[in-house]
Amino acid sequence: MTTPQLQPSPRRGALVRNCLAALFALVAGVLVTDLALAQTTSTTLIAKGAVWKYLDNGSDQGTAWRAKSFADGSWASGAGQLGYGDGDEATRLGFGPNPNAKYITTYFRKAFTLDNPSQVKSLAINVLRDDGALVYLNGVRVIRSNMPGGTITSTTGALRNVRKAREKIYHHFSINKAALVTGRNVLAVEVHQVDARSADLSFDLELIATFSPALPSTTTALASSANPSLAGQNITLTATVTPATATGSVTFKHGATTIGTGTLNAGVATMVRSFSTTGAHSLTAVYAGSADFAGSTSVALNQNVNKVNSSTALSSSANPSVAGESVTLTATVTGASPGGTVTFKDGATTLGTRPLSAGVATMTRSFAATGAHSLTAV
C-alpha cells in the first residue's frame, strides 16, 4: 500500500510567510523604539503640586500677563492643586463676594529654567483643569482645552461643565517646543469656569521634557602663521578642532564679522587672509558642530598688524635742467606691497600729490627760478 504525500497548500504557505514577515517587522519596531528610548531622558520641569503665582480677583488681564517679561511680583503664591469647591485643594482660591456670580477666569504663572533647549526632543503637559484652560509658553499659546474657538476674554465660559470623575483627570498634550529659550521660561495658564454659577474650580499642571542625548564636547583652537604681521601680508589662519574625528565646517570671524569658512579635514580647517589696517585684530574660529559632535568657539586671537617698512627714492628725468623746461620726477617706493600716495616737495612747499602704481608715482614739473632746488618725495 502506498502512503500518499501531502503537499502544502500554496495559500497556507503564503499566509505563514506573511505572518512571519509581520512578526519580524513588529520585533524590529520594538527594538528600534527601545533603542530610541534608551538614548533619551525625561525630566520634569514643573511637577504636579508645584507652587504657582496666581491672580483670583476677577480682573481682566488682557494679553500682557502671558509674556515671559510680565511682572507678577504682586500676585499671590500657592501650591497645586489650586481651586475651590472640592475640598482636595492645597491652595484655596477666591471666587468673589457672590457665590452665584463667581469670577469666570483665574490666572496662573510659573517660571522654570532650561539650560539646553536645543537638546529638547519633545515637550508634554498633563493639565488638570475644571472647567477649561488656555496655556501659553513664553507668550505663545500651546493648548486650548475645553474652550471655544476665536477670541477669548475674561468673561468667556468654557465649552462644557466638567463633573465628577472627570474633574480628577490630567489631560495629556504634546506641545510645540519652538518657544523655549535658554534660561528663564514661563508657563501662563488661564482657567475658565463654564459659567458664573459653577460650584468648583481645579487647576494643577505637570510639564515634562524629553531630552536627546548630549553630544560629545569639542574644543577649538585658533593659530596664525605670522603674528605680528605686516599690513597687506598674507597669513594663514589655522583652526584645530579636538577630537580630530569631528566633521563639518569652521567659520572664521573678525570681531562679529565673518571673514571666511573652512571645511574640517582631520580636525583642521585653514584660510588665508591679509589685513590692510594696522593695530590689533580680534579673531575667533567657530565650529558649528555636527550630528555627532557639539559645537565650540576658540579663545579670541589678537592678530597684531604693523606698518610696512618702506624706502622711497626720487629721481629726475633731466638734472641739470633749463629754466622753464619740463622734467619728470619719479618716486619709487620699495617694501611689502606699497600703496597709497606720494607727495612731492620743493623744500617745505608741496608741488603735488600722486597715487602709487606698482610702487611708482610720477609728476611733471618745470622750475622758473634758476639755482638748486631741494626736492623730496614723501
Side-chain angles (χ1 to χ4, degrees), residues 9 125 136 138 157 186 238 241 279 286:
S9 166
I125 283 179
Y136 305 87
N138 294 330
V186 172
T238 301
V241 177
V286 181

Side-chain angles (χ1 to χ4, degrees), residues 27-46:
V27 171
V30 170
L31 291 175
V32 170
T33 302
D34 287 346
L35 179 61
L37 290 174
Q39 293 177 340
T40 60
T41 57
S42 294
T43 300
T44 301
L45 301 178
I46 299 177

Side-chain angles (χ1 to χ4, degrees), residues 49-361:
V51 174
W52 290 74
K53 304 287 287 186
Y54 67 88
L55 188 67
D56 59 352
N57 62 2
S59 61
D60 183 354
Q61 288 296 298
T63 60
W65 70 279
R66 307 168 185 168
K68 182 168 75 77
S69 59
F70 179 78
D72 56 15
S74 63
W75 289 23
S77 298
Q81 177 179 324
L82 302 99
Y84 58 78
D86 291 328
D88 58 352
E89 303 86 10
T91 301
R92 189 176 187 280
L93 303 177
F95 52 73
N98 187 349
N100 293 317
K102 297 182 179 72
Y103 303 144
I104 294 293
T105 303
T106 306
Y107 302 93
F108 305 88
R109 287 171 55 88
K110 175 70 176 176
F112 62 95
T113 301
L114 194 61
D115 296 328
N116 49 353
S118 63
Q119 292 183 12
V120 174
K121 186 174 182 180
S122 63
L123 204 57
I125 283 179
N126 298 311
V127 59
L128 174 72
R129 47 81 182 145
D130 180 3
D131 293 302
L134 297 172
V135 182
Y136 305 87
L137 174 58
N138 294 330
V140 178
R141 191 183 77 238
V142 291
I143 293 176
R144 182 191 293 257
S145 179
N146 194 28
M147 293 295 296
T151 301
I152 302 297
T153 71
S154 64
T155 59
T156 303
L159 281 176
R160 292 173 293 277
N161 187 15
V162 177
R163 297 180 179 178
K164 298 181 179 180
R166 299 186 64 83
E167 296 176 338
K168 309 303 179 184
I169 294 175
Y170 281 81
H171 301 270
H172 179 80
F173 297 89
S174 294
I175 67 170
N176 193 332
K177 62 179 182 176
L180 288 173
V181 297
T182 300
R184 183 176 181 269
N185 294 261
V186 172
L187 269 186
V189 184
E190 53 184 287
V191 174
H192 291 246
Q193 296 283 50
V194 69
D195 57 44
R197 297 177 64 86
S198 181
D200 53 12
L201 180 150
S202 299
F203 169 70
D204 198 8
L205 183 146
E206 180 182 43
L207 175 64
I208 300 173
T210 300
F211 290 89
S212 299
L215 294 174
S217 62
T218 62
T219 60
T220 301
L222 179 62
S224 167
S225 62
N227 192 8
S229 60
L230 298 175
Q233 176 186 355
N234 282 336
I235 61 173
T236 300
L237 299 175
T238 301
T240 303
V241 177
T242 304
T245 51
T247 58
S249 63
V250 170
T251 300
F252 296 89
K253 291 196 170 187
H254 181 194
T257 302
T258 296
I259 57 176
T261 59
T263 301
L264 284 172
N265 182 9
V268 175
T270 62
M271 76 165 293
V272 176
R273 174 77 182 193
S274 65
F275 298 92
S276 58
T277 56
T278 59
H281 297 261
S282 180
L283 308 178
T284 53
V286 181
Y287 171 50
S290 67
D292 300 313
F293 291 95
S296 57
T297 301
S298 71
V299 174
L301 167 69
N302 283 324
Q303 177 69 38
N304 296 301
V305 179
N306 297 331
K307 290 182 178 179
V308 176
N309 294 322
S310 64
S311 61
T312 303
L314 179 62
S315 63
S316 169
S317 62
N319 191 8
S321 61
V322 178
E325 177 186 359
S326 292
V327 296
T328 299
L329 301 175
T330 301
T332 303
V333 179
T334 58
S337 303
T341 60
V342 170
T343 300
F344 296 88
K345 290 191 172 186
D346 183 358
T349 303
T350 297
L351 302 176
T353 299
R354 298 293 186 270
L356 277 169
S357 176
V360 176

